[in-house]
Amino acid sequence: MGSGDHSALPANWEVRHSRTHNKDYYFNRATKESRWDQPTAQPKLGAWHILAKHQGSRRPSSWREETITRSKDDARAQIEGFLAELAQCESIDEKRRKFGDIAQQYSDCSSAKRRGDLGPFDYGAMQKPFEDAVVALQVNEISKPVETDSGIHIILRTQ
């Protein structure tokens, strides 16, 4: 493996050497996966999201509120209300505009200033339930509520 092109590794992957087998292997720092065969680059994912944090969130504060005191049930109800608003939109353009407006005004993530846009990101860069939801969506499709350690999200896949 010493002659392989390791410069083309996807994000979070590095080459390590196994003393037991006396050969190189690949290790993903984010997922802790190891493998003998070289990983190939995957296309980046892209999403906008609306985050409703609650008192049980990993970091129960945001740009909107220094201390978030809403319950998980209240956060879920807020997200469900946003989904109901989005369901009224008749076109994807209208839905994207409305999604961005809601994110900008109500999302507890700092991406609110970008209308919820997280920009392109690599596989393994987000919390697993969030990434799994993005991967399951088609481009321009909106998720059902997604729970992570950060709170409850609605996700709009953009790439």
Side-chain angles (χ1 to χ4, degrees), residues 22-152:
N22 193 29
K23 66 180 188 175
D24 290 342
Y25 68 97
Y26 298 91
F27 180 78
N28 185 307
R29 293 181 307 276
T31 65
K32 308 298 185 221
E33 176 188 355
S34 60
R35 59 196 294 181
W36 295 113
D37 56 315
Q38 184 170 343
T40 56
Q42 294 175 302
K44 291 196 180 278
L45 298 168
W48 293 3
H49 80 131
I50 300 165
L51 171 62
K53 290 186 174 187
H54 52 79
Q55 58 197 10
S57 294
R58 173 176 61 186
R59 197 176 67 75
S61 66
S62 76
W63 66 274
R64 297 177 58 243
E65 297 176 71
E66 189 173 328
T67 303
I68 293 175
T69 58
R70 83 171 65 90
S71 70
K72 190 177 196 176
D73 287 343
D74 287 346
R76 179 172 292 283
Q78 182 183 40
I79 288 293
E80 294 284 357
F82 296 150
L83 281 171
E85 283 185 57
L86 291 164
Q88 301 303 308
C89 298
E90 295 183 13
S91 70
I92 189 56
D93 289 337
E94 182 184 355
K95 204 169 274 200
R96 287 174 71 105
R97 262 192 313 280
K98 183 70 164 172
F99 194 101
D101 291 347
I102 294 169
Q104 193 168 35
Q105 188 170 357
Y106 297 105
S107 182
D108 288 317
C109 180
S110 61
S111 67
K113 63 181 168 265
R114 294 181 306 278
R115 302 178 60 75
D117 188 355
L118 296 169
F121 54 90
D122 291 311
Y123 284 80
M126 300 292 178
Q127 293 177 53
K128 183 113 174 78
F130 188 96
E131 179 181 303
D132 289 349
V134 173
V135 170
L137 294 170
Q138 298 296 315
V139 171
N140 290 324
E141 186 179 4
I142 296 175
S143 72
K144 291 178 170 46
V146 176
E147 274 189 49
T148 69
D149 292 342
S150 298
I152 303 175

